[in-house]
């Protein structure tokens, strides 16, 4: 029987690469996105259903899940990939931006997961893969919102793994480092107020560091390959690191401990 994966945020980057990879491996793919009418390439592939899903809109979540089940009869894997990034001094960040960040990255994961749990429970099988980030285990300056959401994804995923075991469902977390995508252009919201002069040197250093990291980041297909491994290795492994930068930084964080690791970041950013 052909397995089926439902992917959120499949219009670009990691989501799009994952949809293509799973389809090439013989899977059925429900590729969901906010604006499916703009999608052409995925729609032309065999065994791919493109559906509208906005993780902040419960009605579209329910409709996309129903559409996927009606089309393929079964969903075996959920990939919670959709996300946005909000950075900048908290003092300069509007509360609407705060709400959107958590509504998308945290409540969105919970909405889509809740919509599929009854199907998984009925089948006594299923897999939930949540895309976190190396930024779900380490934090960088001016990222209180983004890292706050990714730390939340780590915690909710780990907790959920226990209760899902009671119904035969596994939960896994994929933690990419920097990835060569258009995430910065499409999904990054940077709040700043140049009148808050104390923060501006830090803003400049972070933007320079982000640009350099983006240019040397992993190919989205490499992250997709890690997601495929998580979905198919049959193990109970919880976390999967994707990208040499993530592997190096997380290993360093583990070896150095809080004081030394944070001290090195303070030095890097001139704090």
């Amino acid at each position: 029987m052909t397995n089926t994966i439902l992917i959120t945020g499949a219009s670009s980057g990691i989501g799009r690469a994952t949809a293509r990879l799973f389809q090439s491996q013989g899977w059925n793919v429900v590729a969901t996105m906010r604006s499916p009418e703009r999608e052409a390439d995925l729609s032309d592939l065999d065994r791919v259903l493109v559906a509208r899903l906005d993780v902040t809109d419960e009605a579209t979540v329910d409709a996309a899940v129903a559409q996927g089940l009606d089309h393929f009869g079964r969903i075996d894997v959920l990939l919670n990939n959709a996300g946005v990034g909000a950075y900048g001094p908290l003092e300069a960040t509007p509360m609407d931006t705060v709400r959107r960040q958590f509504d998308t990255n945290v409540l969105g994961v919970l909405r889509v997961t809740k919509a599929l749990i009854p199907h998984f429970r009925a089948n006594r099988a299923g897999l939930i893969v949540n895309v976190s980030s190396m930024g779900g285990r380490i934090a960088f300056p001016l990222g209180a919102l983004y890292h706050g959401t990714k730390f939340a994804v780590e915690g909710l995923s780990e907790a959920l793994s226990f209760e899902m075991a009671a119904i035969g469902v596994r939960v896994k977390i994929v933690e990419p480092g920097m990835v060569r995508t258009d995430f910065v252009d499409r999904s990054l919201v940077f709040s700043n107020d140049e009148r808050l002069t104390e923060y501006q040197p830090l803003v400049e250093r972070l933007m320079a560091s982000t640009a350099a990291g983006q240019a040397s980041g992993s190919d989205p297909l490499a992250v997709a390959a890690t997601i495929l491994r998580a979905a198919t290795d049959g193990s109970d492994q919880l976390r999967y690191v994707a990208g040499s930068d993530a592997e190096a930084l997380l290993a360093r964080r583990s070896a150095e401990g809080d004081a030394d690791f944070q001290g090195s970041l303070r030095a890097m950013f001139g704090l």
Side-chain angles (χ1 to χ4, degrees):
M1 183 174 62
T2 302
N3 288 327
T4 300
I5 182 171
L6 185 146
I7 301 171
T8 67
S11 63
S12 64
I14 293 170
R16 189 182 191 85
T18 303
R20 286 184 168 277
L21 179 60
F22 274 72
Q23 189 273 345
S24 74
Q25 297 297 307
W27 285 60
N28 297 324
V29 177
V30 184
T32 74
M33 57 197 70
R34 286 180 297 172
S35 302
E37 66 278 3
R38 300 178 187 172
E39 177 55 50
D41 296 341
L42 291 177
S43 302
D44 293 335
L45 296 176
D46 292 336
R47 303 184 313 280
V48 174
L49 170 68
V50 175
R52 179 170 185 264
L53 189 155
D54 179 343
V55 299
T56 68
D57 183 340
E58 188 172 347
T60 71
V61 172
D62 292 341
V65 169
Q67 191 177 352
L69 290 173
D70 182 64
H71 193 81
F72 291 120
R74 179 184 175 104
I75 294 172
D76 303 280
V77 177
L78 164 63
L79 176 65
N80 281 309
N81 165 73
V84 295
Y87 267 80
L90 181 61
E91 188 176 354
T93 303
M95 281 306 299
D96 283 349
T97 300
V98 175
R99 294 186 188 94
R100 178 172 180 258
Q101 176 76 120
F102 280 83
D103 197 14
T104 302
N105 289 14
V106 181
L107 298 183
V109 169
L110 294 172
R111 281 189 193 94
V112 183
T113 300
K114 276 179 62 67
L116 268 165
I117 287 175
H119 176 67
F120 288 160
R121 179 168 50 80
N123 292 336
R124 301 289 297 181
L127 175 66
I128 300 163
V129 182
N130 292 331
V131 176
S132 175
S133 166
M134 68 177 178
R137 293 168 64 191
I138 57 177
F140 294 98
L142 304 181
L145 301 187
Y146 178 75
H147 294 293
T149 62
K150 291 304 184 180
F151 271 66
V153 168
E154 295 274 339
L156 71 86
S157 299
E158 187 165 338
L160 196 60
S161 69
F162 297 114
E163 66 190 79
M164 290 296 97
I167 60 172
V169 175
R170 287 173 296 151
V171 178
K172 303 198 172 194
I173 309 166
V174 173
E175 301 167 331
M178 293 295 287
V179 183
R180 293 194 307 273
T181 70
D182 59 356
F183 180 82
V184 170
D185 296 327
R186 288 171 57 96
S187 302
L188 179 65
V189 177
F190 196 93
S191 299
N192 191 25
D193 183 342
E194 293 183 355
R195 294 172 299 178
L196 301 172
T197 56
E198 298 90 338
Y199 301 120
Q200 299 316 303
L202 184 54
V203 168
E204 292 176 8
R205 292 188 187 100
L206 180 71
M207 296 305 285
S209 174
T210 300
Q214 190 86 14
S216 61
S218 301
D219 189 296
L221 187 58
V223 181
T226 301
I227 293 169
L228 180 63
R229 177 163 61 89
T232 58
D233 66 6
S235 77
D236 290 326
Q237 179 177 335
L238 178 63
R239 289 181 170 87
Y240 295 75
V241 180
S244 58
D245 59 337
E247 291 173 355
L249 277 169
L250 290 173
R252 210 177 107 200
R253 171 68 181 79
S254 178
E256 292 181 0
D258 283 348
D260 288 345
F261 185 76
Q262 290 187 323
S264 67
L265 285 183
R266 287 178 182 275
M268 175 181 172
F269 288 98
L271 297 171

